[in-house]
Structure formats: C-alpha cells, structure tokens
Amino acid sequence: MEEEKDENVDEDDAQPLSIEENEEESEAKGPSSLPQLSDASLEQYSTNSIKNDIAVLEKERDTLAKNTNMGAIAEYRKKEADYLSRVADLDQITTERNEARKMHEDLRRLRL
C-alpha cells in the first residue's frame, strides 16, 4: 500500500494540490464526496484556533438571533403583500381605463 500515490499530490511538481483543485476533483467524483487533504496541508491548521473561530461564530450567530425582531419581519412581509395586491389592482384599473379611452377615441372618430 505504500506504493499507492497520494491523490492530493500533482505528479509533475510533487506538490500538494490547492483546496480549489481538491474541490474540483471531489466535484468530479460526486456531490457526496468531501475533499481529501494531505497530512501536510492539515498541519497548517491549529485545532485550537479552529475551535476558537467556531465558538466566536456561534456566539455571534446567537447574538444576532436574540436581537432579531421577528415581529418586524412579519409586519414587513404583510405590508409587502398588501402593496403587491394594490399594485395588481392599479394595473387592472389602468388597463380598464386605457380600454375605455381607446373606445372613447374610436367613437369620437366615428362621429367626425
């Protein structure tokens, strides 16, 4: 098994592939496969810093979730639906008005 080539190493340069190249390879394999990183590329990441980043992001997410006013969002959606309904009514009335104008112009031309 030692003779198997690491699929993350480019044969020409013998350098690890970048994450983008790795993602392209994994996309070619299928949507369910995750990119396989070599041990060397994984060593550049510190587990403690990654855990700290995750903790900070989770805390930020929780803060945003607490501060979100869902009532305001629901009120906005209700007002938007009302607005769209009124716009549809206006379009219908405008069409009826234009048809009445056209009819009026046609009758006026016939009279002359």
Side-chain angles (χ1 to χ4, degrees):
M1 291 223 159
E2 290 179 10
E3 293 185 20
E4 277 186 35
K5 289 188 177 184
D6 187 5
E7 63 185 47
N8 293 327
V9 176
D10 191 335
E11 293 177 16
D12 298 333
D13 301 324
Q15 296 290 326
L17 296 176
S18 70
I19 293 175
E20 292 83 18
E21 292 170 336
N22 229 343
E23 288 174 353
E24 289 174 4
E25 284 183 8
S26 66
E27 287 176 5
K29 293 177 187 176
S32 63
S33 66
L34 295 174
Q36 299 292 321
L37 299 176
S38 65
D39 289 338
S41 63
L42 289 175
E43 287 177 4
Q44 69 183 353
Y45 301 108
S46 166
T47 55
N48 289 335
S49 67
I50 292 174
K51 287 179 182 180
N52 288 336
D53 290 344
I54 291 171
V56 167
L57 291 172
E58 286 176 345
K59 185 176 180 181
E60 185 177 327
R61 180 200 60 200
D62 293 342
T63 302
L64 287 174
K66 288 178 186 175
N67 293 334
T68 304
N69 186 353
M70 296 305 289
I73 293 171
E75 183 179 339
Y76 169 80
R77 288 187 177 150
K78 181 181 175 186
K79 286 183 179 182
E80 182 184 27
D82 186 40
Y83 168 76
L84 293 175
S85 171
R86 288 181 182 202
V87 167
D89 291 344
L90 178 63
D91 288 342
Q92 180 185 0
I93 291 169
T94 303
T95 302
E96 291 173 9
R97 182 203 62 198
N98 291 341
E99 289 172 1
R101 276 187 180 169
K102 185 176 186 256
M103 180 185 238
H104 177 265
E105 286 295 317
D106 290 343
L107 292 173
R108 191 178 63 80
R109 284 191 196 128
L110 285 176
R111 191 183 71 172
L112 297 175

